[in-house]
Amino acid sequence: PRSRGLERLSSIMWASPRLLSRIGAATFLACHVDQCRRSASCKEAAPLKKITRAEVAEHTSKEKGIWVTYKNNVYDVTTFVDNHPGGHEKLMLAAGKALDPFWRIYQQHEGRGNAPKILEQLMIGELADPQPPSVQDSTDPYDADPERHPGLIFHNNKPCNAEAPAELLMDSWLTPNSVWFIRHHHPVPHVDPKEYRLTVAGLGANPVVLTLDDLKNRFVKRTVTTTIQCGGNRRSELDKIQQTSGIGWGFGAMSTAEWEGVSL
């Protein structure tokens, strides 16, 4: 169910583009939500119902409705998608999924306070089956792999191979860690920082064994900013000319980071 206040908001926004350009979409929405909260029409909302994650996953289009979850509640953002200040394509990345991982990247949503207020007015229910705490399966070597951002485009899960979508790749010069492209042939190795040892040895050299603490505190820290790209990046475009072998990457198998460490 959608409130009449939000339907009225949609018509106002389409009729007043100059107003939005002057005061900003987020500010306009926040002011309207505050007004809507005090109006009688917004107080007639139906009781919250229980909705499963499978039901949420089915709602990814305007025809069926665009639903998202946040902190175990369910929201219908269909009427808000086209008016999203960051562009509809960003919000559609979370369609049928959780907003939480995206808001961890775009932390201004919670920091400024407007977004939670807007979201509150779009609540239609709560999750009947919240995500349970993960339990590792000792028989599956991939079960202990780290959690991956749902906004990535996944080509495989075991081993994990995923690329950043265009909507996230160009957001900033430095790629956020959570949406770095992933290229694996095996499970992610698990290293105990306390047990880690780096051995430097070779012909004519005295072997040296260093701990992680040694590397962090005994040497000059160097910083290098670089872009790393998978050799198969854009393979899907090559496949249109002649079939190749390997993962059909788009152009998101590349990321940029500022690396800090010790020069060899």
Side-chain angles (χ1 to χ4, degrees), residues 233-263:
N233 199 35
R234 300 180 67 177
R235 181 180 284 131
S236 61
E237 298 174 48
L238 295 175
D239 288 339
K240 294 177 182 178
I241 301 172
Q242 183 175 342
Q243 187 63 39
T244 65
S245 61
I247 295 172
W249 296 100
F251 63 80
M254 60 187 302
S255 301
T256 302
E258 183 177 85
W259 309 87
E260 294 181 342
V262 178
S263 295

Side-chain angles (χ1 to χ4, degrees), residues 193-194 196-199 208-221 261-262:
K194 295 180 180 179
Y196 175 82
R197 297 293 183 274
L198 173 68
T199 301
V208 177
V209 179
L210 301 167
T211 66
L212 191 59
D213 187 67
D214 289 333
L215 294 172
K216 290 182 175 181
N217 299 302
R218 291 180 56 189
F219 300 90
V220 175
K221 182 193 299 182
V262 178

Side-chain angles (χ1 to χ4, degrees), residues 47-68:
L48 293 180
K49 62 178 181 178
K50 297 287 186 178
I51 302 173
T52 66
R53 283 181 289 147
E55 289 179 280
V56 174
E58 293 175 355
H59 289 77
T60 58
S61 67
K62 289 186 177 180
E63 291 72 27
K64 295 196 66 174
I66 301 168
W67 293 3
V68 298

Side-chain angles (χ1 to χ4, degrees), residues 16-187:
S16 310
R18 291 183 180 176
L19 174 62
L20 277 181
S21 66
R22 289 180 181 177
I23 67 174
T27 303
F28 179 84
L29 285 167
C31 292
H32 179 84
V33 164
D34 185 60
Q35 180 184 12
C36 181
R37 183 183 289 112
R38 294 194 296 263
S39 70
S41 62
C42 286
K43 295 178 181 178
E44 298 171 0
L48 293 180
K49 62 178 181 178
K50 297 287 186 178
I51 302 173
T52 66
R53 283 181 289 147
E55 289 179 280
V56 174
E58 293 175 355
H59 289 77
T60 58
S61 67
K62 289 186 177 180
E63 291 72 27
K64 295 196 66 174
I66 301 168
W67 293 3
V68 298
T69 67
Y70 180 64
K71 293 184 177 179
N72 295 332
N73 291 320
V74 182
Y75 304 86
D76 183 348
V77 298
T78 311
T79 58
F80 180 64
V81 167
D82 288 333
N83 304 315
H84 182 237
H88 74 278
E89 68 280 354
K90 292 282 178 62
L91 188 52
M92 286 302 296
L93 289 173
K97 296 178 285 192
L99 282 175
D100 308 59
F102 296 91
W103 281 19
R104 283 197 288 271
I105 296 177
Y106 302 105
Q107 296 185 17
Q108 64 268 32
H109 286 85
E110 292 180 321
R112 294 174 184 170
N114 287 341
K117 292 178 182 178
I118 296 169
L119 199 60
E120 180 184 344
Q121 302 304 313
L122 306 177
M123 186 187 300
I124 58 171
E126 56 187 8
L127 283 174
D129 54 347
Q131 185 75 40
S134 59
V135 178
Q136 293 187 7
D137 179 1
S138 60
T139 64
D140 184 352
Y142 290 97
D143 200 58
D145 273 12
E147 180 182 355
R148 272 75 185 228
H149 196 284
L152 292 168
I153 299 171
F154 290 87
H155 296 283
N156 306 104
N157 284 311
K158 296 181 180 183
C160 183
N161 291 283
E163 61 182 289
E167 295 82 359
L168 298 180
L169 188 64
M170 299 301 294
D171 251 8
S172 62
W173 171 240
L174 296 179
T175 310
N177 287 350
S178 57
V179 293
W180 248 75
F181 85 91
I182 302 170
R183 180 68 178 105
H184 280 304
H185 293 273
H186 304 285

